[in-house]
Amino acid sequence: MYIAKNLNTIKSQLPAHVTLVAVSKTKPVADLMEAYDAGQRIFGENKIQEMTDKWEVMPKDIEWHMIGHVQTNKVKYMAPYVSLIHGVDSLKLLQEINKQAAKNNRVIDCLLQVYIAEEESKFGLDKQELDEILSSTEIKQLKNIRIVGLMGMATFTENKNQIEKEFKHLKTIFDKFTIHNSQFTILSMGMSGDYQLAISCGSTMVRIGSSIFGSR
Ligand SMILES: *Cc1c(COP(=O)(O)O)cnc(C)c1O
């Protein structure tokens, strides 16, 4: 019961242009089904194996988003069904996604992950690497992927000013690229602790786990 309630509370706070990804990693299928029965159709997972196990047993009108770091050798397992891959951080990975998408006669939507935090541990591209990928000749040959926007994670800190600074930085980068690229429509930023701030900084997609499903 609490999952449906949490979900409805959060949905009632989201502006219409913001998409909610319910982050269900580590949670059992019964919990996801409670969210599904309450109307949720987009779920985010951070491990390909776990996402695939859930995809196999759950209703087929669900959109599955991969929000974790992706290992190249595992792309093939999600290529038949994944809707959006948030954490793409190299041309090599894009090439593998393209190859596996082609095998499945699909075009897979991807977000490029940008490094905005002041932490060593977070993955992502810096501004220059992003420029290089987006202007490369290789990328134009990848017909089975579509880069539809950017994703970022702020520093894990209580300091709201710091987080806001990082979100605004990502929004500035996003706006620069949208000018040249009409496919660029998604800015994925914001989690349970900071999604309101992320929305005020221009997020169009929030990834919320613990505020819906409880702590992990
Ligand atoms: C786990 C995770 C989330 C959700 O985090 P919560 O704090 O539980 O909302 C969002 N994005 C990514 C990339 C994650 O790994």
Side-chain angles (χ1 to χ4, degrees):
M1 268 315 284
Y2 72 93
I3 293 173
K5 191 163 171 279
N6 290 343
L7 189 64
N8 287 326
T9 305
I10 290 167
K11 279 202 294 199
S12 70
Q13 294 165 359
L14 297 183
H17 70 278
V18 176
T19 302
L20 172 62
V21 179
V23 176
S24 48
K25 61 192 186 195
T26 78
K27 297 296 177 182
V29 166
D31 286 10
L32 280 70
M33 279 310 298
E34 188 176 337
Y36 180 87
D37 289 337
Q40 184 63 23
R41 292 293 180 274
I42 305 177
F43 291 88
E45 292 280 337
N46 71 341
K47 294 207 168 68
I48 293 173
Q49 182 64 57
E50 183 181 344
M51 183 168 77
T52 304
D53 290 346
K54 288 171 175 171
W55 166 70
E56 280 172 354
V57 299
M58 290 187 66
K60 291 297 171 279
D61 60 344
I62 292 173
E63 281 185 29
W64 293 98
H65 288 201
M66 174 42 57
I67 62 168
H69 189 67
V70 176
Q71 283 171 275
T72 313
N73 62 346
K74 295 201 176 144
V75 171
K76 57 178 177 284
Y77 300 114
M78 64 176 167
Y81 69 91
V82 69
S83 292
L84 181 63
I85 303 175
H86 288 234
V88 180
D89 63 356
S90 71
L91 186 57
K92 184 169 149 264
L93 182 54
L94 283 171
Q95 286 165 330
E96 177 63 14
I97 296 168
N98 185 72
K99 182 175 143 196
Q100 298 300 334
K103 278 190 191 168
N104 287 277
N105 280 313
R106 299 188 64 214
V107 174
I108 296 180
D109 286 349
C110 299
L111 303 177
L112 293 175
Q113 182 168 358
V114 183
Y115 180 87
I116 53 171
E118 276 185 0
E119 286 167 353
E120 286 298 321
S121 60
K122 299 250 158 84
F123 294 102
L125 304 156
D126 63 28
K127 176 79 176 48
Q128 192 189 337
E129 291 167 325
L130 191 63
D131 275 330
E132 279 169 15
I133 289 185
L134 288 171
S135 60
S136 67
T137 48
E138 287 97 329
I139 198 121
K140 297 186 182 67
Q141 280 137 32
L142 306 181
K143 301 297 180 202
N144 292 80
I145 55 148
R146 233 165 42 115
I147 298 173
V148 292
L150 302 178
M151 180 267 214
M153 286 172 87
T155 303
F156 188 71
T157 172
E158 293 292 311
N159 184 343
K160 295 276 175 213
N161 291 333
Q162 170 81 27
I163 298 173
E164 183 173 20
K165 197 179 80 187
E166 294 170 3
F167 282 156
K168 283 186 169 161
H169 175 56
L170 183 55
K171 168 71 167 149
T172 306
I173 297 173
F174 178 72
D175 286 344
K176 247 196 193 137
F177 286 111
T178 49
I179 297 171
H180 308 289
N181 190 336
S182 59
Q183 282 183 0
F184 247 69
T185 54
I186 300 175
L187 181 55
S188 167
M189 60 183 194
M191 325 195 335
S192 289
D194 56 22
Y195 71 90
Q196 276 133 336
L197 185 54
I199 291 168
S200 74
C201 294
S203 170
T204 70
M205 184 173 275
V206 290
R207 310 175 308 268
I208 301 181
S210 47
S211 291
I212 298 172
F213 296 104
S215 58
R216 290 178 294 272

